[in-house]
Amino acid sequence: MDNEMNYGSDYKFIPATSIGSGISIQVLPDLLCHTIQIVNINLVGDPQTNDFVLVDAGMPNSANEIIEVTEKHFGTNSRPKALILTHGHFDHVGSIIELIEHWEVPVYAHELELPFLTGQMSYPEPDPTVEGGMVAKMSPMFPIEPIDLGRNIEKLPSDGSVPSMPGFRWIHTPGHSPGHISLFREKDRALITGDAFVTVKQDSLYKVLTQEQELNGPPRYLTTDWKTSKESVIKLAALKPTVAVTGHGLPMSGELLLESLEKLVRDFDKIAVPDYGKYIDKNLH
Ligand SMILES: [Zn+2]
Ligand SMILES: [Zn+2]
């Protein structure tokens, strides 16, 4: 493992939180969702066998909390077999370098996300002018420079399988970011969406604080391709998931999930796409 890893120079702690912060929810016997401030991480695997992976790596400065939650669930000194990234935004890779150093585990992401994770390319600037609330207004302080994981990151296998996540396959769900993926398990139709869609109106600080459940498209301030985002949501809705854990907000399941997804697909332009903002294609409306 080489140690030439670094965050971008704009890396910093972001003072935003929700009432769900610090809380773990056992969504399925082998799926634990834990909220770090405003973002979710997922531990997927059976606590009996200790074969598990971590999906996404939380906010900046949260490595200790992530290790604590992991050890509480899987035992002292337990370590995941792999880290899987839904995408590379700062709130999903915030503590990844400390975690790689502590656990010495391989990290996987989609090929198209690798430039943002190997120091080659910055994400487009968040749009603080987008229709939305406080979190959108705060977005200029969000880190966008690429982190560099050097040789510690690999691309996901092209056959759709997910390393150390038997039964799951990754699904390319771009739009929010070019190499964004979601994870789906056929057996129980469990879906980990990342930010392809979320269950909270992420641009409203009030709704982020209270985690009021409301199926929505991807967080607005960082989404640059709404047409592709819509196609990704259509792709995920077609899977008819029984439960969805999203990058932000509470897990959603059953009829509520299916009905909300149907509505999101039907009214995507109204519900998800902001009325104004710099990444809005006028032709979409
Ligand atoms: Zn994101
Ligand atoms: Zn996010």
Side-chain angles (χ1 to χ4, degrees):
M1 204 111 337
D2 69 72
N3 289 321
E4 284 168 25
M5 293 188 284
N6 53 271
Y7 293 109
S9 65
D10 59 352
Y11 177 83
K12 59 174 126 16
F13 174 75
I14 302 294
T17 196
S18 73
I19 56 164
S21 182
I23 292 176
S24 299
I25 298 177
Q26 191 78 54
V27 182
L28 294 168
D30 65 352
L31 201 174
L32 186 86
C33 177
H34 179 84
T35 307
I36 309 270
Q37 295 177 262
I38 56 163
V39 75
N40 298 324
I41 56 163
N42 293 292
L43 288 162
V44 187
D46 183 351
Q48 306 303 323
T49 63
N50 248 357
D51 278 345
F52 68 98
V53 301
L54 174 67
V55 178
D56 287 346
M59 297 283 281
N61 291 1
S62 65
N64 286 344
E65 180 176 346
I66 295 174
I67 293 165
E68 231 170 78
V69 171
T70 303
E71 297 202 351
K72 193 173 155 205
H73 199 62
F74 288 97
T76 310
N77 294 328
S78 56
R79 68 182 63 201
K81 293 268 185 296
L83 302 190
I84 311 292
L85 296 177
T86 59
H87 62 306
H89 283 154
F90 79 98
D91 50 336
H92 298 255
V93 299
S95 295
I96 195 160
I97 292 180
E98 292 85 347
L99 293 176
I100 293 172
E101 283 170 350
H102 184 79
W103 283 327
E104 300 193 342
V105 281
V107 183
Y108 297 90
H110 190 278
E111 199 173 5
L112 293 176
E113 207 71 359
L114 293 186
F116 307 102
L117 295 161
T118 51
Q120 295 169 53
M121 207 190 279
S122 290
Y123 284 110
E125 270 173 50
D127 179 7
T129 68
V130 74
E131 180 203 0
M134 265 313 288
V135 178
K137 303 276 181 293
M138 277 172 75
S139 63
M141 74 187 292
F142 295 165
I144 53 164
E145 277 182 29
I147 64 170
D148 189 359
L149 301 179
R151 277 175 295 168
N152 297 299
I153 184 150
E154 293 168 55
K155 73 179 177 84
L156 284 158
S158 40
D159 65 1
S161 65
V162 187
S164 302
M165 283 182 89
F168 275 90
R169 65 186 161 96
W170 61 264
I171 298 161
H172 190 203
T173 45
H176 180 62
S177 75
H180 189 287
I181 59 150
S182 303
L183 301 159
F184 182 65
R185 180 164 60 187
E186 195 76 47
K187 187 180 70 176
D188 58 357
R189 314 200 79 70
L191 180 65
I192 298 170
T193 70
D195 285 353
F197 66 81
V198 299
T199 58
V200 65
K201 209 164 161 54
Q202 186 64 13
D203 52 332
S204 151
L205 187 62
Y206 174 75
K207 289 189 173 169
V208 168
L209 271 169
T210 58
Q211 298 279 286
E212 185 186 316
Q213 264 197 326
E214 176 178 343
L215 204 65
N216 222 294
R220 287 173 167 180
Y221 42 87
L222 284 172
T223 301
T224 50
D225 186 341
W226 287 100
K227 192 171 169 286
T228 311
S229 287
K230 182 179 181 176
E231 288 161 10
S232 292
V233 168
I234 291 171
K235 207 189 271 185
L236 294 178
L239 298 172
K240 303 244 177 279
T242 55
V243 60
V245 288
T246 57
H248 305 271
L250 292 164
M252 196 182 267
S253 62
E255 276 304 302
L256 177 64
L257 173 61
L258 291 180
E259 277 165 21
S260 305
L261 261 176
E262 243 170 66
K263 185 160 163 255
L264 181 60
V265 166
R266 199 174 51 233
D267 297 332
F268 190 85
D269 297 353
K270 217 164 63 198
I271 298 172
V273 183
D275 283 342
Y276 51 88
K278 66 179 177 185
Y279 298 118
I280 297 307
D281 177 358
K282 300 283 177 296
N283 302 323
L284 205 69
H285 281 272

PDB file of all heavy atoms in Angstrom, residues 87 89 91-92 176-177 180 195 219 222 248, ligand 1:
ATOM      1  N   HIS A  87     -19.941   7.279  -5.573  1.00  0.00           N
ATOM      2  CA  HIS A  87     -19.324   8.337  -6.372  1.00  0.00           C
ATOM      3  C   HIS A  87     -18.318   9.067  -5.491  1.00  0.00           C
ATOM      4  O   HIS A  87     -18.157   8.704  -4.326  1.00  0.00           O
ATOM      5  CB  HIS A  87     -20.371   9.283  -6.968  1.00  0.00           C
ATOM      6  CG  HIS A  87     -21.216  10.036  -5.967  1.00  0.00           C
ATOM      7  ND1 HIS A  87     -21.928   9.422  -4.968  1.00  0.00           N
ATOM      8  CD2 HIS A  87     -21.463  11.369  -5.827  1.00  0.00           C
ATOM      9  CE1 HIS A  87     -22.586  10.336  -4.261  1.00  0.00           C
ATOM     10  NE2 HIS A  87     -22.317  11.529  -4.750  1.00  0.00           N
ATOM     11  N   HIS A  89     -18.024  12.485  -4.568  1.00  0.00           N
ATOM     12  CA  HIS A  89     -18.250  13.781  -3.931  1.00  0.00           C
ATOM     13  C   HIS A  89     -17.705  13.799  -2.505  1.00  0.00           C
ATOM     14  O   HIS A  89     -17.666  12.763  -1.836  1.00  0.00           O
ATOM     15  CB  HIS A  89     -19.752  14.122  -3.902  1.00  0.00           C
ATOM     16  CG  HIS A  89     -20.267  14.592  -5.226  1.00  0.00           C
ATOM     17  ND1 HIS A  89     -21.583  14.470  -5.613  1.00  0.00           N
ATOM     18  CD2 HIS A  89     -19.624  15.192  -6.268  1.00  0.00           C
ATOM     19  CE1 HIS A  89     -21.739  14.977  -6.823  1.00  0.00           C
ATOM     20  NE2 HIS A  89     -20.574  15.419  -7.242  1.00  0.00           N
ATOM     21  N   ASP A  91     -18.723  14.462   0.350  1.00  0.00           N
ATOM     22  CA  ASP A  91     -19.475  13.920   1.485  1.00  0.00           C
ATOM     23  C   ASP A  91     -19.580  12.394   1.422  1.00  0.00           C
ATOM     24  O   ASP A  91     -20.162  11.782   2.304  1.00  0.00           O
ATOM     25  CB  ASP A  91     -20.864  14.568   1.584  1.00  0.00           C
ATOM     26  CG  ASP A  91     -21.635  14.567   0.273  1.00  0.00           C
ATOM     27  OD1 ASP A  91     -21.012  14.509  -0.805  1.00  0.00           O
ATOM     28  OD2 ASP A  91     -22.878  14.636   0.328  1.00  0.00           O
ATOM     29  N   HIS A  92     -19.008  11.796   0.383  1.00  0.00           N
ATOM     30  CA  HIS A  92     -19.012  10.330   0.271  1.00  0.00           C
ATOM     31  C   HIS A  92     -17.598   9.751   0.341  1.00  0.00           C
ATOM     32  O   HIS A  92     -17.428   8.548   0.420  1.00  0.00           O
ATOM     33  CB  HIS A  92     -19.715   9.898  -1.025  1.00  0.00           C
ATOM     34  CG  HIS A  92     -21.159  10.328  -1.050  1.00  0.00           C
ATOM     35  ND1 HIS A  92     -22.204   9.451  -0.854  1.00  0.00           N
ATOM     36  CD2 HIS A  92     -21.726  11.563  -1.197  1.00  0.00           C
ATOM     37  CE1 HIS A  92     -23.355  10.128  -0.893  1.00  0.00           C
ATOM     38  NE2 HIS A  92     -23.091  11.410  -1.105  1.00  0.00           N
ATOM     39  N   HIS A 176     -25.865  12.723 -11.695  1.00  0.00           N
ATOM     40  CA  HIS A 176     -25.395  13.455 -10.513  1.00  0.00           C
ATOM     41  C   HIS A 176     -23.870  13.585 -10.578  1.00  0.00           C
ATOM     42  O   HIS A 176     -23.302  14.611 -10.221  1.00  0.00           O
ATOM     43  CB  HIS A 176     -25.847  12.722  -9.252  1.00  0.00           C
ATOM     44  CG  HIS A 176     -25.426  13.375  -7.981  1.00  0.00           C
ATOM     45  ND1 HIS A 176     -25.832  14.641  -7.617  1.00  0.00           N
ATOM     46  CD2 HIS A 176     -24.634  12.940  -6.974  1.00  0.00           C
ATOM     47  CE1 HIS A 176     -25.303  14.947  -6.447  1.00  0.00           C
ATOM     48  NE2 HIS A 176     -24.568  13.940  -6.033  1.00  0.00           N
ATOM     49  N   SER A 177     -23.213  12.532 -11.044  1.00  0.00           N
ATOM     50  CA  SER A 177     -21.787  12.581 -11.396  1.00  0.00           C
ATOM     51  C   SER A 177     -21.581  11.540 -12.498  1.00  0.00           C
ATOM     52  O   SER A 177     -22.394  10.638 -12.653  1.00  0.00           O
ATOM     53  CB  SER A 177     -20.900  12.296 -10.180  1.00  0.00           C
ATOM     54  OG  SER A 177     -20.920  10.923  -9.861  1.00  0.00           O
ATOM     55  N   HIS A 180     -21.318   7.719 -11.383  1.00  0.00           N
ATOM     56  CA  HIS A 180     -22.149   7.362 -10.224  1.00  0.00           C
ATOM     57  C   HIS A 180     -22.720   5.955 -10.391  1.00  0.00           C
ATOM     58  O   HIS A 180     -23.146   5.574 -11.472  1.00  0.00           O
ATOM     59  CB  HIS A 180     -23.288   8.381 -10.086  1.00  0.00           C
ATOM     60  CG  HIS A 180     -24.065   8.244  -8.819  1.00  0.00           C
ATOM     61  ND1 HIS A 180     -24.946   7.217  -8.593  1.00  0.00           N
ATOM     62  CD2 HIS A 180     -24.059   8.982  -7.695  1.00  0.00           C
ATOM     63  CE1 HIS A 180     -25.456   7.343  -7.378  1.00  0.00           C
ATOM     64  NE2 HIS A 180     -24.936   8.416  -6.806  1.00  0.00           N
ATOM     65  N   ASP A 195     -26.513   8.915  -4.492  1.00  0.00           N
ATOM     66  CA  ASP A 195     -27.259  10.161  -4.684  1.00  0.00           C
ATOM     67  C   ASP A 195     -28.084  10.147  -5.974  1.00  0.00           C
ATOM     68  O   ASP A 195     -28.538  11.201  -6.424  1.00  0.00           O
ATOM     69  CB  ASP A 195     -26.305  11.361  -4.712  1.00  0.00           C
ATOM     70  CG  ASP A 195     -25.790  11.723  -3.322  1.00  0.00           C
ATOM     71  OD1 ASP A 195     -26.268  11.124  -2.333  1.00  0.00           O
ATOM     72  OD2 ASP A 195     -24.909  12.603  -3.229  1.00  0.00           O
ATOM     73  N   PRO A 219     -29.321  15.501  -5.126  1.00  0.00           N
ATOM     74  CA  PRO A 219     -29.102  16.847  -4.568  1.00  0.00           C
ATOM     75  C   PRO A 219     -28.810  17.856  -5.682  1.00  0.00           C
ATOM     76  O   PRO A 219     -27.986  17.611  -6.551  1.00  0.00           O
ATOM     77  CB  PRO A 219     -27.877  16.642  -3.660  1.00  0.00           C
ATOM     78  CG  PRO A 219     -27.952  15.203  -3.255  1.00  0.00           C
ATOM     79  CD  PRO A 219     -28.501  14.481  -4.460  1.00  0.00           C
ATOM     80  N   LEU A 222     -25.183  19.976  -6.730  1.00  0.00           N
ATOM     81  CA  LEU A 222     -24.032  19.315  -7.342  1.00  0.00           C
ATOM     82  C   LEU A 222     -24.406  18.525  -8.597  1.00  0.00           C
ATOM     83  O   LEU A 222     -23.576  17.854  -9.178  1.00  0.00           O
ATOM     84  CB  LEU A 222     -23.355  18.371  -6.338  1.00  0.00           C
ATOM     85  CG  LEU A 222     -22.500  19.033  -5.251  1.00  0.00           C
ATOM     86  CD1 LEU A 222     -22.058  18.011  -4.205  1.00  0.00           C
ATOM     87  CD2 LEU A 222     -21.270  19.702  -5.848  1.00  0.00           C
ATOM     88  N   HIS A 248     -28.641  10.337   1.239  1.00  0.00           N
ATOM     89  CA  HIS A 248     -29.113  11.324   2.217  1.00  0.00           C
ATOM     90  C   HIS A 248     -30.556  10.991   2.555  1.00  0.00           C
ATOM     91  O   HIS A 248     -31.321  10.588   1.689  1.00  0.00           O
ATOM     92  CB  HIS A 248     -29.009  12.738   1.646  1.00  0.00           C
ATOM     93  CG  HIS A 248     -27.628  13.080   1.152  1.00  0.00           C
ATOM     94  ND1 HIS A 248     -26.667  13.633   1.974  1.00  0.00           N
ATOM     95  CD2 HIS A 248     -27.037  12.903  -0.049  1.00  0.00           C
ATOM     96  CE1 HIS A 248     -25.546  13.798   1.280  1.00  0.00           C
ATOM     97  NE2 HIS A 248     -25.744  13.364   0.041  1.00  0.00           N
TER      98      HIS A 248
HETATM   99 ZN    ZN B   1     -23.183  13.516  -4.453  1.00  0.00          ZN
END
